[in-house]
Amino acid sequence: MKLAIVGGGWAGLSAAVTAADLGHTVTVLESAHTLGGRARRVSSRRLSKTIDNGQHILLGAYQQTLELMQRMHLDINTLFRRDLLTLRSLDGTYQLAASNVAAPLHLLVGLVRAKGLSVADKWELARAFSLLRLKKWQTPDGQTVLEWLTENSPSLQLRQLFWQPLCVAALNTPLDAACAQLFANVLRDSIGTHRHASDMLLARTDLSALWPDQVARLVPAHDAGSITVQTGHPVRKLALLPSASTPGIAIDGEYFDGAILACPPPSAHRLLGQLPLEHDEDKTAHGLLATLKDFDYIPIATLTLELAEPWRLPFPMLMLRENPQKDQYGQWLFNCADFMHAQDHQTVLQVVISDAQTLTQMQGQDVCDATVKQIQEQSRHLPPMPAVKGFDLIIEKRATFAARPGLQRPSVQTPWPGVWLAGDWTDTHYPAVLEGAVMSGKRAAQAAHIAGHAV
């Protein structure tokens, strides 16, 4: 089967590897010049170096992603710095770290040792997790995270220090709008399973080099399989080519037996909208197109700071306390020197701001100044922060979909023969995380394989 994959992000590349291993001839068409999608390397002119478009944390629970990398003969232990789940504030007033014992004791022991939480808050948090386990990680239909917390964990201190940072980091959606069930799914598969599932993995190389760049060099498991990657190739035209035997797909005039659209929903909507409907009343096709238009998006901002010299910090990933009155919105501080191999990253900090709509209305210099002051104010107990030599601010305006309750998300199947979907926005039962992207790509390739053998 000659298969086109539109999009070279983690979903599309996962589909490519899976399809080639199943014996298909795969062509990946990516509009950008760098692979990786929303987890990729970018060239910063302001800093004269390559940086990631955002700091992405993988979890030990990302089974599909880690298995894919191992399939590509990559050494997970070399590529990542691995730490126990640790929430630690830059100002030193709060720390909760999982213990190196079997689950669920790893979290309970961490709770007992936690700093900055009252005994009542520790008991409440333990009770909330026990309740989730008792309910088999199911929450009421249509409930937001805030509604669930109001009923089951009302402490404002816990909300600020534990629930909100985790929810916004995982779903990129504020508590009062975030789907409680999606959040519970993340907690179930990370904190709620074996101890290693909650481990935090920080990439020691840039995100494109981590594995996307190596897909084109992969030797497929099946002798008939192959992968060709074309970057700088935006797809403009999608058409069905019915024939007496099996239908085909034309992409910008080139024939394929099938296509996986592993691109964002607006692009998938644009391409699918070019395809004919068998009947004007075809509710399935119209419903899918309507679903693709129904997504809302929330930005993520990443501020990269280059310091005059390295700065020793107590942990590679530290929580920042927000102060909107001072335009201080930083949430997570990453000290790249603690995990990146690249020599030119030994003086680099990255600050991540999820749900960053407010920052889209601010000037980059103002964001930088306010965030640097935020870091300085919260690190007074540490050696002084070195001077900032330069900065770069990246705001991904459509970084993730808003993970709201009741959001309809499509499967990998479409009503059109020979066309499938892949992306973290498909129905993975996860929010917009990298594991969901990889999972969807694998599912789409398997669906295409089954359909090809059914003909």
Side-chain angles (χ1 to χ4, degrees), residues 38-99:
R38 68 180 183 89
R40 69 189 186 282
R41 169 184 65 242
V42 297
S43 179
S44 170
R45 293 183 179 180
R46 294 179 65 105
L47 299 178
S48 299
K49 64 181 66 182
T50 58
I51 58 176
D52 287 324
N53 70 317
Q55 188 58 244
H56 291 72
I57 306 171
L58 277 69
L59 297 177
Y62 285 10
Q63 180 179 351
Q64 305 265 2
T65 304
L66 296 177
E67 285 180 355
L68 173 66
M69 296 178 67
Q70 289 169 334
R71 152 67 192 95
M72 299 177 67
H73 310 295
L74 302 175
D75 186 350
I76 303 300
N77 295 324
T78 300
L79 287 173
F80 292 100
R81 168 174 170 147
R82 188 173 194 132
D83 290 289
L84 297 170
L85 174 66
T86 302
L87 304 178
R88 182 170 182 169
S89 63
L90 176 62
D91 63 15
T93 62
Y94 169 65
Q95 177 171 312
L96 193 163
S99 178

Side-chain angles (χ1 to χ4, degrees), residues 5 7-21 26-28 35-36 68-69 71-72 74 207-220 226-230:
I5 297 177
W10 287 39
L13 296 176
S14 169
V17 172
T18 304
D21 277 348
V26 177
T27 301
V28 178
L35 296 174
L68 173 66
M69 296 178 67
R71 152 67 192 95
M72 299 177 67
L74 302 175
L207 292 169
S208 294
L210 188 61
W211 70 273
D213 285 348
Q214 303 176 56
V215 169
R217 299 189 292 272
L218 178 73
V219 178
S226 67
I227 301 176
T228 301
V229 176
Q230 298 181 18

Side-chain angles (χ1 to χ4, degrees), residues 318-338:
L318 295 160
M319 294 172 56
L320 296 170
R321 297 181 186 269
E322 298 180 66
N323 189 341
Q325 288 73 29
K326 294 183 178 181
D327 286 334
Q328 296 177 351
Y329 298 101
Q331 295 161 350
W332 298 96
L333 174 66
F334 294 86
N335 188 19
C336 296
D338 284 340

Side-chain angles (χ1 to χ4, degrees), residues 6 29-32 230-237 251-252 270:
V6 181
L29 305 171
E30 166 57 43
S31 60
Q230 298 181 18
T231 57
H233 187 134
V235 172
R236 307 189 186 281
K237 183 66 176 176
I251 294 182
D252 294 338
R270 174 180 60 82

Side-chain angles (χ1 to χ4, degrees), residues 115-126:
K115 176 182 178 182
L117 293 177
S118 67
V119 173
D121 282 342
K122 293 178 182 181
W123 174 255
E124 181 179 302
L125 188 56

